[in-house]
Amino acid sequence: MIDGLLPILYLIASVTFILGIKMLGSPKTARAGNLVAAAGMVIAIVGTIVLYRHNGQPLHNVTWILAALAVGTAIGWVMAMRVKMTAMPQMVSFFNGMGGACAALISILEYKSAIAGGLAASTGHSLATMAGLIIGAVSFSGSIIAYLKLEDRLGDIRFGAQQLVNNGLLVATIAVGAAMVIGSMSGISTLYILTAMALVFGILFVLPIGGADMPVVISLLNSFTGVAAACGGFLYDNMVMLIGGILVGSAGTILTVVMCNSMNRSLLNVLIGNFGGAASGASSGGSSAGSYREVSAADAAVMMAYAKQVVIVPGYGLAVAQAQHVCHQLEHELEGKGVTVKYAIHPVAGRMPGHMNVLLAEADVAYDKLVEMEEINSEFPTTDVVLVVGANDVVNPAAKTDPTSPIYGMPILDAELSRQVIIMKRSMKAGYAGIDNELFYRPNAAMLFGDAKASLTALVNEVKQV
Amino acid sequence: MIIDESTLSLIYLVVLMAFLGVELIGHVPSVLHTPLMSGANAIHGVVIIGSIIVMGIADDTLSMVLGFLAVVLGTLNVVGGFVVTNRMLEMFRRKP
């Protein structure tokens, strides 16, 4: 009886994972989907602790296992509850890295016990061990670098022949891993060297990737960890690990591709083409010719208050300034004056797709006011004022006109077509992609300098007085 | 090449799951990409099962320490992942 129970619990958990991912795909059921998957995870964990048998014996060290679960839960809970909404992308990356590290540690321990047991492991078993180790380690160090970059503690680091070094290291890592699998190399110290190689590769792989591409990298590393978890499933013939891991691996890969498509880039282009592209972008940027116009909050308020339609384009600047609430207030004031207010949401606005939606939803902005790019673009020619709040690259016309621009080909919001564009920025500095924006120098554009929150607050006060 | 039956069924499962994953993600609005990525992130935390198993069969100190660490990290992935996703999705709730 007990023998048959655990597989059934695993089956239930697997079904909750599938349902969970399915439900996460629709706004109505997303929250329930997350909870369903979480419930399945609890079933799988409790079932394993109580019912798992290794060579007929129950698991020992149960006290330590429970202690580790308690420590992990406490830390994870506090971190997840404390993190600001603006810092969500890097938090996801951090937790992803933890999963990768966990997978790598499992492989190390598995190899250690295989040596200690003196048993010649089967080729499949060694393959799963080495693959789990390499993929898990790359996912761990890569995610931590992505985390540090999004926290702005680390810039983009590029050096000569970087790509050559990266590719060389990748080939060497796979070669050592393969040699371990077929047995021409062995020993615990070789394993540690292999781990170190994979860790260094993860670091070097993410270091040069910058700009708007970080979400793609996080999504890719997310699917890596999925595959690493599935390797663990092979090691223990464990169905729930296999199903959960592969599901995330495949869903994560597709999500990565979808994200690339929304930027009109291929995955390869993001991972490799980026190096050269960013360098040329920097040179074409610099001190671009042309003069820009500044506008005061009072003038901007008058323009907006007498407009028929105002479209707000939110970007990362809104997120860092935590200005979503005051932005909602501005919308409220303008609507009180009979102005139609909409938000134009670029698929990659902020640092992740959906980032802006999450932020604005936090400030109680109605869901139907958020209009996606394809729909809003036809409305710009009939829009009186576009207010760009801390966004830059997503309204850069160079994406359409300048084939040398690194963002050339990315679909953009056609803010330039409206009668008046007001751009709120802290300074004339280039955006996250590191390139200049000719929109700022157009005759129908005006700059409103300052922190997004302070400027929006000033606008709200001015609009009230109109 | 000899593949035993249980390995073969695992391979079947991998291929089918890969297709299922693709189907599940096919038509998701971009609004939900971040929560979806975060939710998927929590689900691959299932790797914790493996760490519980290694911890449960560990018998020397080094294995115990590494196993303990693995369980802690796996738990961070699971708990942090689900809680963060839930917080994001709470914001999509429509006010009555």
Side-chain angles (χ1 to χ4, degrees), chain A residues 384-442:
Chain A
D384 303 291
V385 180
V386 172
L387 183 67
V388 181
V389 187
N392 188 346
D393 300 326
V394 297
V395 291
N396 192 342
K400 286 200 292 197
T401 55
D402 178 9
T404 62
S405 170
I407 60 165
Y408 181 69
M410 180 174 92
I412 59 157
L413 292 162
D414 297 324
E416 48 170 338
L417 301 179
S418 65
R419 235 157 278 160
Q420 175 69 50
V421 188
I422 299 168
I423 300 122
M424 299 172 83
K425 261 175 89 33
R426 276 185 293 200
S427 68
M428 282 306 282
K429 264 169 59 183
Y432 201 48
I435 48 171
D436 209 18
N437 192 337
E438 59 174 291
L439 174 67
F440 303 163
Y441 309 101
R442 294 280 171 94

Side-chain angles (χ1 to χ4, degrees), chain A residues 58-387:
Chain A
L59 292 175
H60 42 266
N61 305 327
V62 172
T63 321
W64 285 110
I65 293 174
L66 293 178
L69 283 170
V71 171
T73 304
I75 300 174
W77 190 282
V78 169
M79 285 181 87
M81 289 308 284
R82 281 207 182 150
V83 64
K84 288 196 194 120
M85 270 301 142
T86 43
M88 279 303 175
Q90 50 265 52
M91 197 77 261
V92 172
S93 184
F94 178 82
F95 289 135
N96 180 49
M98 296 303 104
C102 180
L105 281 173
I106 291 171
S107 285
I108 292 175
L109 286 166
E110 193 54 33
Y111 190 78
K112 261 173 52 69
S113 69
I115 291 183
L119 301 166
S122 73
T123 312
H125 193 269
S126 324
L127 184 65
T129 311
M130 293 309 151
L133 175 69
I134 295 174
I135 300 171
V138 168
S139 179
F140 167 64
S141 60
S143 295
I144 296 305
I145 296 297
Y147 166 79
L148 292 174
K149 288 187 118 178
L150 286 172
E151 285 275 284
D152 277 332
R153 294 201 212 154
L154 205 62
D156 304 344
I157 297 171
R158 302 189 174 92
F159 52 85
Q162 191 162 19
Q163 218 179 314
L164 206 67
V165 173
N166 283 6
N167 292 343
L169 183 59
L170 176 63
V171 170
T173 309
I174 293 174
V176 174
M180 298 281 280
V181 172
I182 56 173
S184 59
M185 281 172 115
S186 62
I188 196 77
S189 42
T190 321
L191 191 81
Y192 289 143
I193 292 170
L194 179 62
T195 312
M197 287 168 77
L199 288 173
V200 173
F201 175 73
I203 295 171
L204 292 180
F205 161 64
V206 181
L207 265 186
I209 303 175
D213 294 334
M214 214 31 78
V216 176
V217 175
I218 295 177
S219 178
L220 185 70
L221 292 173
N222 193 32
S223 61
F224 277 14
T225 311
V227 175
C231 290
F234 265 111
L235 279 180
Y236 303 111
D237 280 345
N238 190 302
M239 290 300 175
V240 75
M241 286 176 79
L242 197 67
I243 290 174
I246 291 293
L247 261 185
V248 175
S250 112
T253 308
I254 292 302
L255 193 57
T256 312
V257 172
V258 170
M259 283 183 188
C260 288
N261 288 345
S262 65
M263 297 193 291
N264 199 23
R265 311 260 306 268
S266 73
L267 182 55
L268 200 68
N269 182 261
V270 168
L271 298 181
I272 298 168
N274 190 54
F275 303 155
S280 75
S283 62
S284 75
S287 57
S288 168
S291 60
Y292 55 86
R293 201 156 57 85
E294 254 187 88
V295 65
S296 69
D299 289 345
V302 172
M303 283 184 229
M304 289 195 290
Y306 288 103
K308 258 209 215 108
Q309 171 156 302
V310 171
V311 171
I312 299 175
V313 178
Y316 190 66
L318 177 95
V320 260
Q322 287 281 310
Q324 62 270 34
H325 294 280
V326 53
C327 192
H328 178 53
Q329 213 181 329
L330 177 68
E331 168 208 324
H332 185 74
E333 289 296 331
L334 287 173
E335 297 218 304
K337 303 217 179 283
V339 183
T340 310
V341 182
K342 291 178 182 170
Y343 291 85
I345 308 295
H346 190 276
V348 295
R351 295 278 161 93
M352 269 202 183
H355 198 176
M356 290 299 123
N357 305 69
V358 172
L359 273 181
L360 292 171
E362 185 200 5
D364 289 336
V365 173
Y367 194 73
D368 50 12
K369 282 197 182 299
L370 310 182
V371 189
E372 298 210 9
M373 180 176 64
E374 291 80 8
E375 284 168 59
I376 198 85
N377 264 349
S378 61
E379 290 192 33
F380 281 117
T382 56
T383 297
D384 303 291
V385 180
V386 172
L387 183 67

Side-chain angles (χ1 to χ4, degrees), chain A residues 19-42:
Chain A
L19 274 179
I21 291 185
K22 174 81 193 154
M23 290 166 81
L24 275 166
S26 150
K28 284 201 186 86
T29 55
R31 193 152 174 261
N34 184 53
L35 296 177
V36 165
M41 190 68 78
V42 172

Side-chain angles (χ1 to χ4, degrees), chain B residues 21-85:
Chain B
V22 172
E23 282 306 309
L24 285 174
I25 300 297
H27 316 281
V28 176
S30 66
V31 181
L32 283 169
H33 282 174
T34 301
L36 185 67
M37 185 204 290
S38 178
N41 174 46
I43 289 174
H44 69 49
V46 72
V47 69
I48 190 180
I49 302 291
S51 67
I52 290 173
I53 297 174
V54 261
M55 180 76 198
I57 57 181
D59 41 20
D60 61 291
T61 317
L62 180 59
S63 301
M64 292 272 288
V65 172
L66 291 180
F68 188 83
L69 190 62
V71 177
V72 170
L73 298 181
T75 316
L76 270 176
N77 187 178
V78 171
V79 175
F82 282 120
V83 173
V84 159
T85 312

